[in-house]
Amino acid sequence: AVGYLALFPSVIAFICWNHAVPLVGPNIATFFYPTAPVFASVAAFVVLDEQLQAYHLGGFALVLAGLVLSTRRR
């Protein structure tokens, strides 16, 4: 578990984040920063065989709704 926490969220995620920001720009990348816990939960489900609970799905829905509301055009 410690190896997972040291490798995936802290190292690989920030390498990917730092690689993606120059590609899409900081204004667009900022909207996707709240999805980090969603991807961490999915990785825990896949790698650590954690059980997906209803509050995970509720949190995913809230993050997705916030992302949609913040990126839609007026």
Side-chain angles (χ1 to χ4, degrees):
V2 173
Y4 166 79
L5 289 175
L7 185 63
F8 285 103
S10 58
V11 176
I12 294 175
F14 285 112
I15 288 172
C16 293
W17 178 262
N18 289 332
H19 198 74
V21 169
L23 295 175
V24 299
N27 292 337
I28 300 297
T30 301
F31 289 112
F32 292 94
Y33 193 71
T35 62
V38 173
F39 290 116
S41 296
V42 170
F45 174 71
V46 172
V47 175
L48 297 177
D49 200 29
E50 294 283 330
Q51 291 196 359
L52 203 58
Q53 302 292 332
Y55 56 83
H56 291 112
L57 299 176
F60 298 167
L62 289 173
V63 168
L64 182 62
L67 184 63
V68 168
L69 288 174
S70 65
T71 57
R72 68 184 174 129
R73 296 189 187 263
R74 296 183 182 180

